[in-house]
Amino acid sequence: MKKNFPDNNEKNAAIICYTSGTTGNPKGVVYTHRSIFIHSLSLLGHDSIALSRQDTSLVMVPMYHISGWDIPFAAALIGSNLALPGVHPDPPDIVNMISSCRVNKAFAAPAVWTSIIEYSISNETGLEPLKYAGIGGAEPSDYIIKTLMESGIETWHLWGMTETEAIATISKPETGNVHNQGIPMPAFEINAVDEKIINCRGMGKVQVSSWCVEPMPHPDTSIPIALIKLFIWMEKHG
């Protein structure tokens, strides 16, 4: 049967996400079909979140939050099962979905994970068969990491920005301290240019270059425009 696929340029805009300005001025960022596809492809790697057809992933990240970290697209790409909890799910609904949908990977912000953990402990429900917990949006607390790991759930710290199209770095137990930012995703180049970051003394600025980074002008106008297009300047958390 002949398939009539649309003739669409891969560099055309597919999604626009807006950021309220967590790390700078409020702005809208355009994601192309190409950048979404490549970033979704990178999520399938073993040292990434290793999404596969054997997985059922619960994505508790709304699509307006950097396209749900592109996990729904990656799931469609590989044929993975996907569980979506709907609008404003509460902890009982989420814990029930983990059990009834046989979820083995779940992704959410720290505040959501805290509510899930506290409900699970107070109701003695457990979180089986969950094996992996992806945490992003803010640094996970010691409480979250310790509680999940003691329950046999491997904890991943995911970092990214609206301007980097979701996940840019991932920290797993085998890479060291899960609190750290971990290692860059494929095709990301990250350079710590601020001495405070290099010496691990606080927040500062980094340079990030990738195929999905949204260009932003740097205040130093002496930098050649070709270099400005390569880098996006951002505040680094942690």
Side-chain angles (χ1 to χ4, degrees):
M1 181 183 298
K2 184 179 180 180
K3 299 290 185 180
N4 295 318
F5 293 107
D7 184 14
N8 190 21
N9 190 310
E10 65 176 11
K11 295 185 179 180
N12 284 349
I15 293 174
I16 300 177
C17 282
Y18 288 89
T19 169
S20 59
T22 308
T23 56
N25 294 327
K27 62 186 74 70
V29 180
V30 178
Y31 304 146
T32 65
H33 295 276
R34 181 177 187 271
S35 67
I36 292 171
F37 175 78
I38 296 176
H39 186 263
S40 300
L41 195 64
S42 72
L43 296 179
L44 310 181
H46 175 76
D47 290 327
S48 177
I49 66 173
L51 211 59
S52 74
R53 285 178 292 177
Q54 286 71 46
D55 292 321
T56 297
S57 297
L58 174 59
V59 182
M60 296 168 280
V61 185
M63 286 301 289
Y64 64 78
H65 189 177
I66 326 181
S67 302
W69 303 346
D70 277 351
I71 296 168
F73 297 116
L77 180 64
I78 198 65
S80 175
N81 293 317
L82 189 63
L84 300 175
V87 180
H88 306 305
D90 56 21
D93 293 332
I94 294 171
V95 172
N96 180 62
M97 282 194 73
I98 291 173
S99 175
S100 62
C101 297
R102 309 304 296 167
V103 170
N104 67 317
K105 293 180 179 178
F107 304 87
V112 177
W113 278 114
T114 299
S115 66
I116 294 171
I117 290 169
E118 291 178 348
Y119 175 84
S120 175
I121 292 174
S122 62
N123 291 274
E124 300 181 348
T125 58
L127 294 173
E128 293 81 8
L130 189 63
K131 295 296 181 185
Y132 304 96
I135 307 171
E139 180 184 351
S141 65
D142 287 328
Y143 170 73
I144 294 175
I145 295 173
K146 182 174 183 293
T147 305
L148 290 175
M149 296 289 277
E150 287 180 349
S151 300
I153 301 169
E154 184 174 308
T155 306
W156 303 335
H157 179 193
L158 313 174
W159 177 83
M161 297 177 62
T162 305
E163 297 89 336
T164 64
E165 184 160 342
I167 304 167
T169 68
I170 182 167
S171 181
K172 295 183 175 182
E174 61 263 32
T175 63
N177 188 344
V178 177
H179 284 288
N180 294 338
Q181 304 306 137
I183 60 176
M185 293 281 287
F188 272 91
E189 295 182 61
I190 300 179
N191 179 33
V193 296
D194 195 303
E195 187 177 344
K196 289 182 293 185
I197 296 180
I198 295 172
N199 295 321
C200 301
R201 291 204 303 267
M203 289 174 40
K205 294 191 175 186
V206 295
Q207 292 175 327
V208 178
S209 176
S210 180
W211 29 259
C212 62
V213 170
E214 174 70 9
M216 291 176 62
H218 188 271
D220 183 357
T221 56
S222 65
I223 296 178
I225 192 67
L227 290 180
I228 293 177
K229 290 182 177 179
L230 286 177
F231 299 118
I232 175 174
W233 291 73
M234 67 184 80
E235 294 297 325
K236 178 177 183 296
H237 294 280

